[in-house]
Amino acid sequence: MNKYQIARNESNQLVVIEARNNQDSVNQIPAFAKGINKLDEINKRVLYLQIQQEKNTTGITVVKKESVNDLIDILMDISGALLSYALESKDIVLLSKIDYNITTVKNFTLPKLLSAAGIVLESVKTIPAEALQEQGIAASEINDFEILLQKVQTVKTQRQEVSIDRVQVTEEIASLLSESIDLLNNKLDKLALQFKRKDPVFYQKYKNARTVSVIVNHKPTTTTIDAAGSSTASQK
């Protein structure tokens, strides 16, 4: 959510809070009360989407970072062993495939890291087990390397899926906030004008809650409603 959406959502929540705190006054206008209930439903859905969005992204980011670091470590171990073997056996083709240094590998993008790990895994499987043991690499380590590579590939896929989900969530949040604006501007603000006479104190609280303040380009912008229920924006 951008700054304006966050401010808008906070304002929407405050409108509901003020209405709940003045339920007797709100009940004087049943249509207004129904509108507040609808706004409350929108607020709850937006909150749920926010929580899911943050939870999914944070979890995958942590797993990805740990798995990638582990993959780099074992990649360097195995490629170093392969490099030693290639030098001893004068295997120029193998040398050209697996000559990595830690600084370069750490700066790899994820697709490039996965590609390098795939090359190393493919290469190590062509070397006799005895030769690998001579270089300090056991069969179990190769198996661990393959499993870890698959794990990182899965995390990458999940990240892509979450990116798609984030787009969908972002679109739904925007749609919900747009719905709330329409509800407020075209129904609640119009009906709220009656409270100027029926409950002036609540009307002022409602107007204050309807104020949306957000900093845009380092300038505070405030959107308020006037006595006719129309929204206006101003910069300070």
Side-chain angles (χ1 to χ4, degrees):
M1 291 173 65
N2 59 39
K3 291 180 179 179
Y4 175 76
Q5 289 176 325
I6 292 172
R8 165 63 65 184
N9 187 48
E10 290 175 349
S11 171
N12 290 353
Q13 291 174 5
L14 188 55
V15 166
V16 173
I17 290 172
E18 292 295 352
R20 298 302 187 220
N21 290 339
N22 295 270
Q23 196 65 53
D24 289 342
S25 294
V26 169
N27 289 341
Q28 294 180 61
I29 309 175
F32 186 86
K34 289 180 181 178
I36 290 295
N37 290 338
K38 179 60 179 178
L39 183 61
D40 191 25
E41 291 176 7
I42 292 173
N43 291 347
K44 289 175 180 177
R45 179 61 182 172
V46 170
L47 177 61
Y48 169 80
L49 291 172
Q50 279 184 288
I51 292 172
Q52 291 301 116
Q53 190 177 57
E54 293 171 4
K55 181 174 65 176
N56 290 344
T57 304
T58 302
I60 288 179
T61 299
V62 171
V63 172
K64 174 185 170 184
K65 184 176 181 180
E66 293 177 350
S67 298
V68 167
N69 288 339
D70 291 342
L71 182 63
I72 289 174
D73 288 341
I74 195 167
L75 168 63
M76 294 309 301
D77 288 347
I78 294 178
S79 64
L82 285 176
L83 181 62
S84 175
Y85 170 80
L87 288 170
E88 289 180 7
S89 60
K90 298 181 181 180
D91 189 333
I92 298 176
V93 175
L94 181 59
L95 275 173
S96 65
K97 288 183 178 180
I98 47 81
D99 189 9
Y100 300 113
N101 65 70
I102 187 63
T103 301
T104 301
V105 172
K106 283 187 175 180
N107 289 324
F108 277 172
T109 61
L110 183 56
K112 193 167 184 179
L113 175 62
L114 291 173
S115 176
I119 291 171
V120 170
L121 180 62
E122 181 182 357
S123 298
V124 77
K125 286 184 176 182
T126 66
I127 310 301
E130 296 80 7
L132 289 174
Q133 289 177 350
E134 179 70 20
Q135 303 299 331
I137 300 299
S140 60
E141 291 176 285
I142 298 172
N143 184 58
D144 291 343
F145 180 43
E146 185 168 12
I147 292 173
L148 187 56
L149 175 56
Q150 292 173 348
K151 181 179 180 180
V152 175
Q153 288 171 330
T154 299
V155 171
K156 178 176 180 289
T157 301
Q158 290 175 336
R159 186 81 178 184
Q160 292 171 332
E161 292 172 350
V162 167
S163 295
I164 294 173
D165 289 342
R166 282 178 65 86
V167 171
Q168 295 172 340
V169 167
T170 299
E171 290 175 350
E172 184 176 354
I173 288 176
S175 177
L176 288 167
L177 291 178
S178 177
E179 183 181 355
S180 74
I181 292 171
D182 181 67
L183 175 64
L184 286 158
N185 289 347
N186 298 318
K187 185 169 186 174
L188 293 179
D189 288 354
K190 307 303 183 185
L191 293 172
L193 292 174
Q194 296 181 48
F195 291 116
K196 291 180 67 178
R197 174 173 49 86
K198 296 178 178 180
D199 189 339
V201 174
F202 171 62
Y203 177 70
Q204 189 57 52
K205 290 179 179 179
Y206 176 83
K207 280 192 66 175
N208 292 341
R210 283 284 284 118
T211 300
V212 180
S213 298
V214 60
I215 296 177
V216 179
N217 296 327
H218 306 292
K219 294 181 179 180
T221 299
T222 301
T223 300
T224 59
I225 59 169
D226 58 23
S230 300
S231 298
T232 58
S234 61
Q235 282 193 341
K236 299 179 180 179

